[in-house]
Amino acid sequence: PPTIEATPLIASLQADTGDVRFMAFYEPGTDEIRLSKVNAEKPTDRDYELWLIEADGTPQSIGVITNTDSARVTLTADYIAKINSGDTFAISIEPLGGSPTGAVTGPVIAAGVSTSL
């Protein structure tokens, strides 16, 4: 049978208003999403958290993002199997260490749909 080659995904995460922006990149075969903070600021007593939103609309935490210009978030095998072109990624501002409930508790500051390269 023919093999289907997985293609890298990219997403531009932006605010509905304002100039907050991140870029997310996922290359199949790796266990991480690479993020670039293009323009964003948060309070020092908060963390950024990355979320995957599939077709059902329920945000699932991928992990806390360091407050640097570029970051890497390691994916579990479950997330590696889930990520597809057309999924939405979002970033919220959460308490230090991430959401205490497993759900988004802070404001979502940027979101974007992934597309194949």
Side-chain angles (χ1 to χ4, degrees):
T3 56
I4 299 171
E5 279 193 38
T7 58
L9 302 177
I10 193 166
S12 176
L13 288 65
Q14 302 179 73
D16 287 337
T17 59
D19 57 359
V20 171
R21 199 169 78 171
F22 291 81
M23 295 297 295
F25 179 76
Y26 172 68
E27 186 168 354
T30 69
D31 65 350
E32 64 186 17
I33 291 180
R34 291 181 288 173
L35 292 149
S36 295
K37 181 174 70 170
V38 179
N39 189 29
E41 294 299 325
K42 65 168 188 59
T44 56
D45 64 340
R46 300 286 181 199
D47 273 330
Y48 295 120
E49 191 159 352
L50 178 65
W51 303 85
L52 171 66
I53 305 169
E54 294 180 290
D56 70 359
T58 304
Q60 303 166 58
S61 175
I62 295 177
V64 173
I65 304 168
T66 59
N67 189 29
T68 58
D69 289 341
S70 63
R72 294 173 187 258
V73 177
T74 302
L75 300 170
T76 65
D78 287 343
Y79 282 115
I80 292 170
K82 290 181 183 184
I83 294 175
N84 293 296
S85 179
D87 288 338
T88 298
F89 291 96
I91 294 177
S92 65
I93 295 179
E94 300 292 341
L96 290 175
S99 170
T101 66
V104 177
T105 61
V108 174
I109 59 166
V113 176
S114 65
T115 185
S116 297
L117 288 178

